Amino acid sequence: MQSPQELMYRWRQHFTADKGEEVSTHSAQLTEQEMLLVLQPQTEHGSVLTALREATAEQHRKLEERFDAVSELADMHRRPQVIARYAAFYSSAFAALGPELEPLHELRFKHRRQAWEAVNMLQASADCATGFPAPADLREALGSFYVVEGSILGGRFIQAQLKKQDVEAAELAFLNPYGTAGGSMWRSLLSAIEEHGSGDLGIAAICRGATRAFDHAEFVLCGGTK
């Protein structure tokens, strides 16, 4: 059986590559064996999502190596600061991306932001609330939001691993703000990316937004250090 870190990496990689099929059982109740069933390869997406996956693969690997979310959140002494870093990342992302993404009604951006705000128990830490990179256009915003929503979706798996360690607390609700709607939320984002990311310039813009968002995520979640 693979370690929680390996499973979490595969879980996140799966959802950056594939359709994010809805999980019928709440993720916090899934066993490692059930998670592995969810991670079976699905249908390949178009070139823009393939390009996104390739463009961010190394950044994804580096962040996974530097930031062990399960261990950090399991430690009750470190947990408040870690949650504050998450708050800094998400709150700055929703603020920066809203002007470009709110007009996309199918994305339900306001609903996503409100769902996260409803379970955010802490204010963003002042020492790591650096501004999220402002997108130049809609395509860059979609690329950045791909990283934000990938992190939110990965939170469901983090929550499951914490529950296996008997770590359950109200302030951890931010890990799964969409509940059982997480898969459909992810699919609607992928559809928007495919729709607006056609052509070389579109793909380049979306990948640019994603790589900038990953840089910001690493900076904030790792405590403002490179």
Side-chain angles (χ1 to χ4, degrees), residues 194-225:
E194 288 183 312
E195 178 181 353
H196 297 280
S198 60
D200 291 343
L201 292 178
I203 292 174
I206 284 180
C207 289
R208 185 164 55 249
T211 56
R212 293 175 70 197
F214 252 117
D215 283 342
H216 184 67
E218 182 183 354
F219 178 79
V220 174
L221 295 178
C222 294
T225 59

PDB file of all heavy atoms in Angstrom, residues 194-225:
ATOM      1  N   GLU A 194     -11.444  24.379 -21.473  1.00  0.00           N
ATOM      2  CA  GLU A 194     -11.451  23.841 -22.832  1.00  0.00           C
ATOM      3  C   GLU A 194     -12.130  24.802 -23.806  1.00  0.00           C
ATOM      4  O   GLU A 194     -11.698  24.961 -24.946  1.00  0.00           O
ATOM      5  CB  GLU A 194     -12.159  22.486 -22.852  1.00  0.00           C
ATOM      6  CG  GLU A 194     -11.352  21.377 -22.205  1.00  0.00           C
ATOM      7  CD  GLU A 194     -12.048  20.033 -22.309  1.00  0.00           C
ATOM      8  OE1 GLU A 194     -13.248  19.969 -21.991  1.00  0.00           O
ATOM      9  OE2 GLU A 194     -11.394  19.067 -22.716  1.00  0.00           O
ATOM     10  N   GLU A 195     -13.184  25.458 -23.349  1.00  0.00           N
ATOM     11  CA  GLU A 195     -13.933  26.358 -24.228  1.00  0.00           C
ATOM     12  C   GLU A 195     -13.140  27.617 -24.563  1.00  0.00           C
ATOM     13  O   GLU A 195     -13.165  28.091 -25.701  1.00  0.00           O
ATOM     14  CB  GLU A 195     -15.251  26.751 -23.560  1.00  0.00           C
ATOM     15  CG  GLU A 195     -16.084  27.728 -24.384  1.00  0.00           C
ATOM     16  CD  GLU A 195     -17.377  28.127 -23.695  1.00  0.00           C
ATOM     17  OE1 GLU A 195     -17.704  27.539 -22.633  1.00  0.00           O
ATOM     18  OE2 GLU A 195     -18.049  29.038 -24.219  1.00  0.00           O
ATOM     19  N   HIS A 196     -12.442  28.170 -23.576  1.00  0.00           N
ATOM     20  CA  HIS A 196     -11.779  29.459 -23.763  1.00  0.00           C
ATOM     21  C   HIS A 196     -10.277  29.347 -24.033  1.00  0.00           C
ATOM     22  O   HIS A 196      -9.641  30.374 -24.264  1.00  0.00           O
ATOM     23  CB  HIS A 196     -12.001  30.338 -22.524  1.00  0.00           C
ATOM     24  CG  HIS A 196     -13.436  30.681 -22.284  1.00  0.00           C
ATOM     25  ND1 HIS A 196     -14.101  31.690 -22.969  1.00  0.00           N
ATOM     26  CD2 HIS A 196     -14.352  30.121 -21.444  1.00  0.00           C
ATOM     27  CE1 HIS A 196     -15.346  31.750 -22.549  1.00  0.00           C
ATOM     28  NE2 HIS A 196     -15.531  30.822 -21.618  1.00  0.00           N
ATOM     29  N   GLY A 197      -9.749  28.140 -23.996  1.00  0.00           N
ATOM     30  CA  GLY A 197      -8.305  27.999 -24.127  1.00  0.00           C
ATOM     31  C   GLY A 197      -7.836  27.442 -25.449  1.00  0.00           C
ATOM     32  O   GLY A 197      -6.754  26.836 -25.514  1.00  0.00           O
ATOM     33  N   SER A 198      -8.601  27.636 -26.495  1.00  0.00           N
ATOM     34  CA  SER A 198      -8.209  27.082 -27.789  1.00  0.00           C
ATOM     35  C   SER A 198      -7.106  27.916 -28.433  1.00  0.00           C
ATOM     36  O   SER A 198      -6.979  29.118 -28.165  1.00  0.00           O
ATOM     37  CB  SER A 198      -9.421  27.031 -28.726  1.00  0.00           C
ATOM     38  OG  SER A 198      -9.946  28.329 -28.926  1.00  0.00           O
ATOM     39  N   GLY A 199      -6.315  27.265 -29.293  1.00  0.00           N
ATOM     40  CA  GLY A 199      -5.263  27.954 -30.018  1.00  0.00           C
ATOM     41  C   GLY A 199      -3.997  28.113 -29.196  1.00  0.00           C
ATOM     42  O   GLY A 199      -4.019  28.026 -27.962  1.00  0.00           O
ATOM     43  N   ASP A 200      -2.895  28.359 -29.871  1.00  0.00           N
ATOM     44  CA  ASP A 200      -1.604  28.465 -29.195  1.00  0.00           C
ATOM     45  C   ASP A 200      -1.576  29.605 -28.177  1.00  0.00           C
ATOM     46  O   ASP A 200      -1.033  29.457 -27.081  1.00  0.00           O
ATOM     47  CB  ASP A 200      -0.488  28.664 -30.220  1.00  0.00           C
ATOM     48  CG  ASP A 200      -0.256  27.420 -31.069  1.00  0.00           C
ATOM     49  OD1 ASP A 200      -0.723  26.339 -30.660  1.00  0.00           O
ATOM     50  OD2 ASP A 200       0.386  27.536 -32.125  1.00  0.00           O
ATOM     51  N   LEU A 201      -2.146  30.756 -28.550  1.00  0.00           N
ATOM     52  CA  LEU A 201      -2.131  31.898 -27.635  1.00  0.00           C
ATOM     53  C   LEU A 201      -2.999  31.629 -26.407  1.00  0.00           C
ATOM     54  O   LEU A 201      -2.628  32.005 -25.285  1.00  0.00           O
ATOM     55  CB  LEU A 201      -2.613  33.156 -28.349  1.00  0.00           C
ATOM     56  CG  LEU A 201      -1.682  33.704 -29.442  1.00  0.00           C
ATOM     57  CD1 LEU A 201      -2.312  34.933 -30.099  1.00  0.00           C
ATOM     58  CD2 LEU A 201      -0.318  34.049 -28.859  1.00  0.00           C
ATOM     59  N   GLY A 202      -4.142  30.974 -26.612  1.00  0.00           N
ATOM     60  CA  GLY A 202      -5.006  30.642 -25.488  1.00  0.00           C
ATOM     61  C   GLY A 202      -4.354  29.675 -24.531  1.00  0.00           C
ATOM     62  O   GLY A 202      -4.406  29.843 -23.305  1.00  0.00           O
ATOM     63  N   ILE A 203      -3.720  28.653 -25.080  1.00  0.00           N
ATOM     64  CA  ILE A 203      -3.028  27.661 -24.243  1.00  0.00           C
ATOM     65  C   ILE A 203      -1.886  28.321 -23.474  1.00  0.00           C
ATOM     66  O   ILE A 203      -1.705  28.080 -22.275  1.00  0.00           O
ATOM     67  CB  ILE A 203      -2.511  26.504 -25.113  1.00  0.00           C
ATOM     68  CG1 ILE A 203      -3.681  25.691 -25.659  1.00  0.00           C
ATOM     69  CG2 ILE A 203      -1.563  25.608 -24.312  1.00  0.00           C
ATOM     70  CD1 ILE A 203      -3.280  24.611 -26.643  1.00  0.00           C
ATOM     71  N   ALA A 204      -1.127  29.178 -24.151  1.00  0.00           N
ATOM     72  CA  ALA A 204      -0.003  29.845 -23.493  1.00  0.00           C
ATOM     73  C   ALA A 204      -0.479  30.715 -22.336  1.00  0.00           C
ATOM     74  O   ALA A 204       0.136  30.742 -21.262  1.00  0.00           O
ATOM     75  CB  ALA A 204       0.776  30.690 -24.508  1.00  0.00           C
ATOM     76  N   ALA A 205      -1.588  31.438 -22.539  1.00  0.00           N
ATOM     77  CA  ALA A 205      -2.113  32.307 -21.490  1.00  0.00           C
ATOM     78  C   ALA A 205      -2.603  31.511 -20.291  1.00  0.00           C
ATOM     79  O   ALA A 205      -2.350  31.876 -19.133  1.00  0.00           O
ATOM     80  CB  ALA A 205      -3.243  33.177 -22.051  1.00  0.00           C
ATOM     81  N   ILE A 206      -3.300  30.419 -20.539  1.00  0.00           N
ATOM     82  CA  ILE A 206      -3.806  29.595 -19.449  1.00  0.00           C
ATOM     83  C   ILE A 206      -2.652  28.963 -18.672  1.00  0.00           C
ATOM     84  O   ILE A 206      -2.658  28.940 -17.430  1.00  0.00           O
ATOM     85  CB  ILE A 206      -4.781  28.528 -19.989  1.00  0.00           C
ATOM     86  CG1 ILE A 206      -6.124  29.195 -20.327  1.00  0.00           C
ATOM     87  CG2 ILE A 206      -4.988  27.401 -18.990  1.00  0.00           C
ATOM     88  CD1 ILE A 206      -7.186  28.275 -20.872  1.00  0.00           C
ATOM     89  N   CYS A 207      -1.656  28.479 -19.372  1.00  0.00           N
ATOM     90  CA  CYS A 207      -0.498  27.892 -18.696  1.00  0.00           C
ATOM     91  C   CYS A 207       0.268  28.948 -17.912  1.00  0.00           C
ATOM     92  O   CYS A 207       0.780  28.675 -16.814  1.00  0.00           O
ATOM     93  CB  CYS A 207       0.424  27.218 -19.712  1.00  0.00           C
ATOM     94  SG  CYS A 207      -0.244  25.703 -20.423  1.00  0.00           S
ATOM     95  N   ARG A 208       0.351  30.151 -18.441  1.00  0.00           N
ATOM     96  CA  ARG A 208       1.031  31.239 -17.739  1.00  0.00           C
ATOM     97  C   ARG A 208       0.321  31.555 -16.427  1.00  0.00           C
ATOM     98  O   ARG A 208       0.958  31.722 -15.377  1.00  0.00           O
ATOM     99  CB  ARG A 208       1.085  32.474 -18.638  1.00  0.00           C
ATOM    100  CG  ARG A 208       1.876  33.633 -18.065  1.00  0.00           C
ATOM    101  CD  ARG A 208       2.213  34.657 -19.142  1.00  0.00           C
ATOM    102  NE  ARG A 208       1.027  35.152 -19.850  1.00  0.00           N
ATOM    103  CZ  ARG A 208       0.751  34.884 -21.127  1.00  0.00           C
ATOM    104  NH1 ARG A 208       1.559  34.142 -21.862  1.00  0.00           N
ATOM    105  NH2 ARG A 208      -0.341  35.385 -21.691  1.00  0.00           N
ATOM    106  N   GLY A 209      -1.006  31.625 -16.473  1.00  0.00           N
ATOM    107  CA  GLY A 209      -1.759  31.875 -15.245  1.00  0.00           C
ATOM    108  C   GLY A 209      -1.570  30.765 -14.226  1.00  0.00           C
ATOM    109  O   GLY A 209      -1.447  31.024 -13.018  1.00  0.00           O
ATOM    110  N   ALA A 210      -1.529  29.523 -14.682  1.00  0.00           N
ATOM    111  CA  ALA A 210      -1.367  28.386 -13.777  1.00  0.00           C
ATOM    112  C   ALA A 210       0.010  28.372 -13.126  1.00  0.00           C
ATOM    113  O   ALA A 210       0.130  28.143 -11.913  1.00  0.00           O
ATOM    114  CB  ALA A 210      -1.604  27.080 -14.534  1.00  0.00           C
ATOM    115  N   THR A 211       1.050  28.615 -13.894  1.00  0.00           N
ATOM    116  CA  THR A 211       2.395  28.570 -13.310  1.00  0.00           C
ATOM    117  C   THR A 211       2.599  29.699 -12.308  1.00  0.00           C
ATOM    118  O   THR A 211       3.248  29.508 -11.275  1.00  0.00           O
ATOM    119  CB  THR A 211       3.473  28.630 -14.411  1.00  0.00           C
ATOM    120  OG1 THR A 211       3.286  29.806 -15.219  1.00  0.00           O
ATOM    121  CG2 THR A 211       3.404  27.401 -15.308  1.00  0.00           C
ATOM    122  N   ARG A 212       2.024  30.861 -12.592  1.00  0.00           N
ATOM    123  CA  ARG A 212       2.131  31.968 -11.640  1.00  0.00           C
ATOM    124  C   ARG A 212       1.380  31.652 -10.351  1.00  0.00           C
ATOM    125  O   ARG A 212       1.831  31.978  -9.249  1.00  0.00           O
ATOM    126  CB  ARG A 212       1.592  33.248 -12.270  1.00  0.00           C
ATOM    127  CG  ARG A 212       2.435  33.769 -13.430  1.00  0.00           C
ATOM    128  CD  ARG A 212       1.777  34.963 -14.094  1.00  0.00           C
ATOM    129  NE  ARG A 212       1.811  36.130 -13.231  1.00  0.00           N
ATOM    130  CZ  ARG A 212       1.047  37.202 -13.415  1.00  0.00           C
ATOM    131  NH1 ARG A 212       0.170  37.230 -14.397  1.00  0.00           N
ATOM    132  NH2 ARG A 212       1.149  38.233 -12.599  1.00  0.00           N
ATOM    133  N   ALA A 213       0.227  31.009 -10.482  1.00  0.00           N
ATOM    134  CA  ALA A 213      -0.548  30.640  -9.298  1.00  0.00           C
ATOM    135  C   ALA A 213       0.187  29.592  -8.474  1.00  0.00           C
ATOM    136  O   ALA A 213       0.150  29.627  -7.233  1.00  0.00           O
ATOM    137  CB  ALA A 213      -1.923  30.120  -9.712  1.00  0.00           C
ATOM    138  N   PHE A 214       0.848  28.652  -9.130  1.00  0.00           N
ATOM    139  CA  PHE A 214       1.618  27.648  -8.396  1.00  0.00           C
ATOM    140  C   PHE A 214       2.763  28.292  -7.633  1.00  0.00           C
ATOM    141  O   PHE A 214       3.055  27.926  -6.478  1.00  0.00           O
ATOM    142  CB  PHE A 214       2.160  26.577  -9.344  1.00  0.00           C
ATOM    143  CG  PHE A 214       1.470  25.251  -9.208  1.00  0.00           C
ATOM    144  CD1 PHE A 214       0.754  24.714 -10.268  1.00  0.00           C
ATOM    145  CD2 PHE A 214       1.527  24.527  -8.027  1.00  0.00           C
ATOM    146  CE1 PHE A 214       0.115  23.491 -10.156  1.00  0.00           C
ATOM    147  CE2 PHE A 214       0.892  23.303  -7.887  1.00  0.00           C
ATOM    148  CZ  PHE A 214       0.184  22.783  -8.957  1.00  0.00           C
ATOM    149  N   ASP A 215       3.444  29.246  -8.251  1.00  0.00           N
ATOM    150  CA  ASP A 215       4.516  29.961  -7.553  1.00  0.00           C
ATOM    151  C   ASP A 215       3.980  30.645  -6.304  1.00  0.00           C
ATOM    152  O   ASP A 215       4.605  30.617  -5.236  1.00  0.00           O
ATOM    153  CB  ASP A 215       5.153  31.000  -8.479  1.00  0.00           C
ATOM    154  CG  ASP A 215       6.096  30.398  -9.503  1.00  0.00           C
ATOM    155  OD1 ASP A 215       6.534  29.241  -9.307  1.00  0.00           O
ATOM    156  OD2 ASP A 215       6.402  31.081 -10.499  1.00  0.00           O
ATOM    157  N   HIS A 216       2.820  31.270  -6.438  1.00  0.00           N
ATOM    158  CA  HIS A 216       2.220  31.963  -5.297  1.00  0.00           C
ATOM    159  C   HIS A 216       1.803  30.970  -4.220  1.00  0.00           C
ATOM    160  O   HIS A 216       1.993  31.216  -3.025  1.00  0.00           O
ATOM    161  CB  HIS A 216       1.015  32.769  -5.772  1.00  0.00           C
ATOM    162  CG  HIS A 216       0.387  33.602  -4.693  1.00  0.00           C
ATOM    163  ND1 HIS A 216       1.017  34.680  -4.119  1.00  0.00           N
ATOM    164  CD2 HIS A 216      -0.829  33.497  -4.068  1.00  0.00           C
ATOM    165  CE1 HIS A 216       0.232  35.215  -3.196  1.00  0.00           C
ATOM    166  NE2 HIS A 216      -0.897  34.516  -3.142  1.00  0.00           N
ATOM    167  N   ALA A 217       1.222  29.836  -4.641  1.00  0.00           N
ATOM    168  CA  ALA A 217       0.810  28.823  -3.675  1.00  0.00           C
ATOM    169  C   ALA A 217       1.999  28.320  -2.871  1.00  0.00           C
ATOM    170  O   ALA A 217       1.917  28.177  -1.645  1.00  0.00           O
ATOM    171  CB  ALA A 217       0.133  27.656  -4.400  1.00  0.00           C
ATOM    172  N   GLU A 218       3.107  28.056  -3.546  1.00  0.00           N
ATOM    173  CA  GLU A 218       4.291  27.588  -2.827  1.00  0.00           C
ATOM    174  C   GLU A 218       4.784  28.638  -1.849  1.00  0.00           C
ATOM    175  O   GLU A 218       5.127  28.331  -0.700  1.00  0.00           O
ATOM    176  CB  GLU A 218       5.393  27.214  -3.816  1.00  0.00           C
ATOM    177  CG  GLU A 218       6.638  26.679  -3.116  1.00  0.00           C
ATOM    178  CD  GLU A 218       7.769  26.363  -4.084  1.00  0.00           C
ATOM    179  OE1 GLU A 218       7.561  26.455  -5.311  1.00  0.00           O
ATOM    180  OE2 GLU A 218       8.868  26.030  -3.588  1.00  0.00           O
ATOM    181  N   PHE A 219       4.834  29.894  -2.296  1.00  0.00           N
ATOM    182  CA  PHE A 219       5.308  30.963  -1.437  1.00  0.00           C
ATOM    183  C   PHE A 219       4.463  31.085  -0.173  1.00  0.00           C
ATOM    184  O   PHE A 219       4.989  31.167   0.939  1.00  0.00           O
ATOM    185  CB  PHE A 219       5.302  32.283  -2.206  1.00  0.00           C
ATOM    186  CG  PHE A 219       5.740  33.468  -1.406  1.00  0.00           C
ATOM    187  CD1 PHE A 219       7.083  33.718  -1.176  1.00  0.00           C
ATOM    188  CD2 PHE A 219       4.808  34.343  -0.864  1.00  0.00           C
ATOM    189  CE1 PHE A 219       7.500  34.804  -0.426  1.00  0.00           C
ATOM    190  CE2 PHE A 219       5.204  35.443  -0.109  1.00  0.00           C
ATOM    191  CZ  PHE A 219       6.555  35.683   0.110  1.00  0.00           C
ATOM    192  N   VAL A 220       3.150  31.070  -0.339  1.00  0.00           N
ATOM    193  CA  VAL A 220       2.255  31.273   0.804  1.00  0.00           C
ATOM    194  C   VAL A 220       2.172  30.041   1.697  1.00  0.00           C
ATOM    195  O   VAL A 220       2.337  30.128   2.912  1.00  0.00           O
ATOM    196  CB  VAL A 220       0.851  31.686   0.317  1.00  0.00           C
ATOM    197  CG1 VAL A 220      -0.122  31.754   1.481  1.00  0.00           C
ATOM    198  CG2 VAL A 220       0.892  33.027  -0.403  1.00  0.00           C
ATOM    199  N   LEU A 221       1.931  28.880   1.101  1.00  0.00           N
ATOM    200  CA  LEU A 221       1.726  27.679   1.911  1.00  0.00           C
ATOM    201  C   LEU A 221       3.003  27.214   2.605  1.00  0.00           C
ATOM    202  O   LEU A 221       2.941  26.566   3.657  1.00  0.00           O
ATOM    203  CB  LEU A 221       1.163  26.551   1.042  1.00  0.00           C
ATOM    204  CG  LEU A 221      -0.235  26.801   0.473  1.00  0.00           C
ATOM    205  CD1 LEU A 221      -0.663  25.639  -0.407  1.00  0.00           C
ATOM    206  CD2 LEU A 221      -1.252  27.047   1.587  1.00  0.00           C
ATOM    207  N   CYS A 222       4.143  27.564   2.052  1.00  0.00           N
ATOM    208  CA  CYS A 222       5.410  27.175   2.683  1.00  0.00           C
ATOM    209  C   CYS A 222       5.934  28.265   3.606  1.00  0.00           C
ATOM    210  O   CYS A 222       7.096  28.238   4.034  1.00  0.00           O
ATOM    211  CB  CYS A 222       6.456  26.840   1.617  1.00  0.00           C
ATOM    212  SG  CYS A 222       6.052  25.374   0.648  1.00  0.00           S
ATOM    213  N   GLY A 223       5.114  29.255   3.905  1.00  0.00           N
ATOM    214  CA  GLY A 223       5.476  30.247   4.907  1.00  0.00           C
ATOM    215  C   GLY A 223       6.246  31.429   4.384  1.00  0.00           C
ATOM    216  O   GLY A 223       7.008  32.065   5.117  1.00  0.00           O
ATOM    217  N   GLY A 224       6.082  31.741   3.087  1.00  0.00           N
ATOM    218  CA  GLY A 224       6.730  32.921   2.546  1.00  0.00           C
ATOM    219  C   GLY A 224       8.209  32.772   2.309  1.00  0.00           C
ATOM    220  O   GLY A 224       8.956  33.754   2.361  1.00  0.00           O
ATOM    221  N   THR A 225       8.666  31.527   2.071  1.00  0.00           N
ATOM    222  CA  THR A 225      10.076  31.302   1.799  1.00  0.00           C
ATOM    223  C   THR A 225      10.226  30.565   0.483  1.00  0.00           C
ATOM    224  O   THR A 225       9.342  29.818   0.067  1.00  0.00           O
ATOM    225  CB  THR A 225      10.734  30.461   2.901  1.00  0.00           C
ATOM    226  OG1 THR A 225      10.063  29.201   3.012  1.00  0.00           O
ATOM    227  CG2 THR A 225      10.673  31.186   4.236  1.00  0.00           C
TER     228      THR A 225
END
